[in-house]
Each structure stands twice: as C-alpha cells, then as structure tokens.
Amino acid sequence: PGRALPRPGPALLPDEMSTVDRALERVFEGGEILGPVPDDAICRAEAELGVVFPDEYREFLGIFGAAVGNGIEIYGLPPNDPDAAPTWQSVVTVTRRLREQRQAGTENQQHIAISDDGMGTYFFLDTAASPRTRIRAIGPYGDADAATSLLELVARSKRPS
C-alpha cells in the first residue's frame, strides 16, 4: 500500500526536487503515493510499451511512483505481486488492456494511459512529444489537448476543499 504525504526520505530532499515536483507534492498532500520506482523498472516499462516517457513523467515515477489524491490518480509502476491485492493502477497494464480493447486513443501506439476521469475518458501521455509533456483527453465526448504538464492535469482535476 501507499504512504500518506508528507513522507521523509532522500527522494524528496528539496535539492533533488524540481519546482513542479514540490508543487505536485503539495497537491497530493493528504493523498497517497506509491514511492520511488528505480530507473531500471522505468526503462523496462518503456521497452514493454515501445515508447520513451517524457522527462517529467520519468521524474514523477522516480520520486512518487504513482499517486492518488484530490480527485485524481496518476498511474505508475507498482511492483508486480500476484499474491497482493491491487492497490495501484499500472501504466503498463492499463495501456496494454486498453490497446487490446481498441479503446479510442490507443490506435496511436505513442499514447500511454496515465489517468482517467471515471466516466470513460482517459488521459494519455503523447510520448511522441517526448521529452516534453503533452497530455490528451480521449473518450466518448471527443479528443482534445488536456495539459502540457502533470501539474496542469492535476490542478484541473483537483476537487475543491
């Protein structure tokens, strides 16, 4: 299971965090995070999906792993433990499942699912824009640019307190 924020540890030392990471940490305060994902696991996920993650998402995975709070979950790379109850959505598992189901948006193999709104719209990272971040919202009501950063996506999804 995830841990509640704030959490101590070297992965969150201010010198090692970008301004965006600190802002994301504040946004997810009171939520849960998975915890850091090692670089080799990130590389394996990229290879399995046939993409290169944008720099911002790689950094997110390396610091947060996955996160949920304030009305949104950002999929990550949870450990594959067949004996444990699933707690986190895996970007690899969800993207592969959506591709198999021919979900709108997955015809572009450069799109990877990183979140959803619970009503049929998925938020896809367009990895063709890598190293920049470009997020598309694709679902029953169309296809549109949603954000140019994870922080922007989270801020737009944040529920009022």
Side-chain angles (χ1 to χ4, degrees), residues 5 14 18 29 32 42 60 74 76 93 110 116 119 129 131 137 141 143 150 159:
L5 287 175
S18 71
E29 194 167 21
E32 289 193 43
I42 296 170
F60 169 85
I74 303 294
T93 302
Q110 296 298 305
D116 69 88
M119 298 177 63
Y141 303 106
D143 176 345
L150 292 174
R159 292 188 181 146

Side-chain angles (χ1 to χ4, degrees), residues 23-109:
L24 281 171
E25 184 178 38
R26 284 191 301 276
V27 169
F28 285 115
E29 194 167 21
E32 289 193 43
I33 59 168
L34 172 64
V37 173
D39 194 55
D40 63 324
I42 296 170
C43 292
R44 279 193 308 273
E46 288 175 318
E48 190 168 341
L49 292 171
V51 301
V52 174
F53 295 148
D55 292 346
E56 181 188 33
Y57 188 61
R58 286 182 125 269
E59 192 172 336
F60 169 85
L61 293 170
I63 293 172
F64 298 98
V68 63
N70 289 308
I72 189 166
E73 175 182 5
I74 303 294
Y75 307 156
L77 294 172
N80 187 7
D81 183 355
D83 297 327
T87 304
W88 299 97
Q89 295 280 9
S90 162
V91 65
V92 172
T93 302
V94 173
T95 299
R96 289 175 69 203
R97 184 181 70 238
L98 294 176
R99 286 175 179 174
E100 289 168 7
Q101 296 170 350
R102 298 183 183 191
Q103 168 74 28
T106 61
E107 64 280 355
N108 182 338
Q109 294 294 298

